[in-house]
Amino acid sequence: MGSLVTDPAAFQRLFADFHHAAFKLEVRRSYGVPAEDEPFQVFLAGGDPGVDWLRPWLDLMRAETAKGKRVERVRVVDEPPSDYLRFEMSVTPHNLAAGEDIRYLDRRRATELTLPRYDFWLFDSQLVAFLHFTDDDRFVGFSTTEDPAEVLKHCQCRDRAWTRATPFPTPPGTVAAAA
């Protein structure tokens, strides 16, 4: 595994540089991303946080998926989901409208499938980016590897997760309204 990279531009370049498919396994119950702090608090208070805070990501996903690239995620969730996961699920229709394919997997099933207990992105089945967080859930950066054994292990995890996860339940008209 490479050294910790903390530059947000370097993280964003991972999405510009891949050619075919990006996959993320999300296993955390909470994410501390500064741009999400205020919208998350608005959500918790019962308000509508809008999606302006998410616009840079949505624009990036639209641009990359318009080139024919696939961006897939499997979110591991508890029943009931944590407040943060409910927040994520509330904006998922916007992610879908931007071209992402997001599926959900029950945490017990993820454990049975021996999936990792950490988040990672897998790019073109050639590069694994491990996401690093502090003890209080703050994202601090990522590290990467192209080691064939590590890549294969994470490709197998992707395949186990993806084939057993279920698509996001989208009520009629939700995605169209999100565009």
Side-chain angles (χ1 to χ4, degrees):
M1 184 166 28
S3 59
L4 183 67
V5 179
T6 58
D7 176 16
F11 185 70
Q12 192 165 15
R13 273 194 304 278
L14 292 172
F15 296 93
D17 291 347
F18 83 96
H19 301 287
H20 307 288
F23 169 84
K24 183 182 184 190
L25 179 67
E26 295 182 1
V27 300
R28 302 181 65 80
R29 291 175 173 96
S30 179
Y31 292 86
V33 180
E36 296 177 1
D37 289 345
E38 184 179 334
F40 181 50
Q41 292 308 312
V42 170
F43 173 82
L44 288 177
D48 178 4
V51 292
D52 286 344
W53 58 274
L54 189 57
R55 188 74 49 215
W57 177 260
L58 297 174
D59 291 346
L60 175 64
M61 291 300 98
R62 273 191 191 89
E64 296 308 316
T65 59
K67 298 173 187 173
K69 298 178 182 182
R70 287 190 336 268
V71 180
E72 304 167 337
R73 299 190 208 207
V74 169
R75 288 185 176 143
V76 175
V77 295
D78 299 298
E79 187 55 49
S82 68
D83 287 342
Y84 184 86
L85 287 172
R86 287 187 312 104
F87 170 64
E88 274 194 326
M89 291 165 70
S90 76
V91 298
T92 296
H94 298 279
N95 295 86
L96 298 174
E100 290 186 75
D101 189 348
I102 301 175
R103 297 182 183 190
Y104 289 82
L105 185 65
D106 181 80
R107 190 168 305 278
R108 286 175 304 209
R109 186 69 174 125
T111 300
E112 291 169 5
L113 295 170
T114 63
L115 296 178
R117 295 182 179 189
Y118 53 85
D119 285 24
F120 69 87
W121 278 99
L122 177 64
F123 295 96
D124 293 329
S125 299
Q126 296 177 341
L127 175 86
V128 182
F130 302 96
L131 306 183
H132 299 276
F133 298 86
T134 62
D135 290 340
D136 64 348
D137 298 322
R138 291 307 223 191
F139 178 67
V140 293
F142 69 98
S143 58
T144 61
T145 185
E146 294 180 83
D147 174 71
E150 280 297 311
V151 170
L152 175 61
K153 173 181 148 184
H154 289 84
C155 286
Q156 292 168 336
C157 290
R158 174 204 54 208
D159 295 347
R160 286 195 309 274
W162 189 254
T163 57
R164 288 160 180 98
T166 57
F168 181 76
T170 308
T174 303
V175 174

